Amino acid sequence: MPRLAIHRLSMAHPGDLSALEALIAAGGVQARDIRAVIGKTEGNGGLNDFTRGYFTQTLMALLAARTGEAAGALATRIPCVLSGGTEGALSPHYLVFSASAEAAPGRRGLAIGTAFSPPTPAREIGRVPQITAVADAVRMAMAQAGIARPEDVALVQVKAPAAQAPDPAARSGDAKVLMALSRAAAAFGVGVALGDIPAGAATEAALLSDFSLYSNRASISSGVEVTCNEVLVFGRAPGWAEGIVAGVAPMIDLLDLAGVQAAFAKAPGEVLGVIAKGEPDRTGAIRGHRHTMLGDTDLDPQRHLRGALGAVVAAVAGDGRVFVSGGAEHQGPPGGGLVCVFARAG
């Protein structure tokens, strides 16, 4: 059975994969064993952030050269979840997840499973078909990893599609709203699959409306560089080698240092990677005091969010290579979010 490995690699620019090339050349990882990549690029994180697609294209070309498999085929089975925007102390980097064969009878270690939904056209973004497709993909990824129980899932990371062209049948003509709806629908899909959100409550009307519905184990990004929902599931499963742990904790708000520390406390050891989701509080205040992120006409609110949350999390991590993604709709408490820490135990 497999052993999960995680490598956190820095990049000099969005197309720089020299660190991964060197790692493969040194035998630190086999290209054929790479299961997924999660990373932060230095774009603006918006609709026109093409650093994400640039990185993905370069990654698939590299893996195609090392495996002999067509880049297009690799892109249909290796999720590449990228979030643009490395404001403030954040540093461009990427996490490489690989799984190599190793017998581990009777043991339960951290497992990874992946799945892709069918293509999601603009007219289905933020609608029941997307919620259902994500829920189905989560279950498929769990089955692939051998994770039998929803309570054994630590985190589900999804890259959801955004509309690349206007569609009169879409829920909104505003592309940024569609990005938010896509994240929200994917979060509902994760919540339904894991039992965090009742299936009957996961309605289109509740998206971006009923924020009492959320999953503390869903981390969703959206972008125009993908056309379907790419799903990664992390959790404990029999047969997977021990050694790597995942600590996940919710954040009640942007200043929830205790929440960040709780995630690190659940994953003692050498930190291998950190994922954080957050959002500017829609009430316009944090702990009773006004914030101006939502009213700033110079900077997008998500850029404020990434800079602020990145500083909080990176200060605890002692490392700016933190995956901080804005847009935490239905991903953790309203106005808050979640933090996941991967570490090598002991």
Side-chain angles (χ1 to χ4, degrees), residues 94-212:
Y94 52 105
L95 305 177
V96 178
F97 298 86
S98 63
S100 57
E102 177 176 315
R107 296 182 179 179
R108 284 169 53 83
L110 189 65
I112 180 175
T114 61
F116 288 67
S117 78
T120 302
R123 65 181 178 275
E124 292 184 0
I125 290 177
R127 299 189 188 275
V128 168
Q130 185 183 13
I131 297 172
T132 302
V134 172
D136 289 344
V138 171
R139 296 184 186 106
M140 287 188 289
M142 288 175 61
Q144 183 196 78
I147 303 171
R149 305 181 307 170
E151 54 264 39
D152 289 332
V153 173
L155 181 77
V156 179
Q157 176 70 58
V158 181
K159 185 67 182 191
Q164 300 189 48
D167 186 331
R171 280 195 64 176
S172 173
D174 186 327
K176 291 182 69 173
V177 172
L178 277 182
M179 287 184 77
L181 283 166
S182 189
R183 291 190 297 266
F188 268 25
V190 173
V192 168
L194 300 184
D196 294 339
I197 297 175
T203 65
E204 293 178 10
L207 291 173
L208 304 184
S209 176
D210 185 353
F211 289 102
S212 68

Side-chain angles (χ1 to χ4, degrees), residues 78 152 272:
I78 300 177
D152 289 332
L272 302 174

Side-chain angles (χ1 to χ4, degrees), residues 47-118:
L47 281 163
N48 64 343
D49 183 353
F50 298 108
T51 64
R52 300 171 303 208
Y54 178 32
F55 178 95
T56 301
Q57 182 181 54
T58 308
L59 171 67
M60 297 308 166
L62 169 62
L63 297 182
R66 296 297 183 273
T67 64
E69 191 173 351
L74 289 165
T76 64
R77 67 173 181 82
I78 300 177
C80 188
V81 179
L82 300 171
S83 172
T86 52
E87 294 82 2
L90 296 175
S91 180
H93 73 287
Y94 52 105
L95 305 177
V96 178
F97 298 86
S98 63
S100 57
E102 177 176 315
R107 296 182 179 179
R108 284 169 53 83
L110 189 65
I112 180 175
T114 61
F116 288 67
S117 78

Side-chain angles (χ1 to χ4, degrees), residues 40 43-45 84-91 302-304 306-308 310-311 324:
K40 286 293 296 181
N44 62 20
T86 52
E87 294 82 2
L90 296 175
S91 180
Q302 302 302 332
R303 307 201 76 172
H304 278 288
R306 290 191 294 265
V324 174

Side-chain angles (χ1 to χ4, degrees), residues 25 46 60 94 99 101 108 133 135 138 164 185 189 219 229 233 242 264 273 278 295 302 305 311-313 315 322:
M60 297 308 166
Y94 52 105
R108 284 169 53 83
V138 171
Q164 300 189 48
S219 172
N229 300 278
V233 174
E242 299 170 316
F264 278 84
Q302 302 302 332
L305 179 282
V312 174
V313 179
V322 175

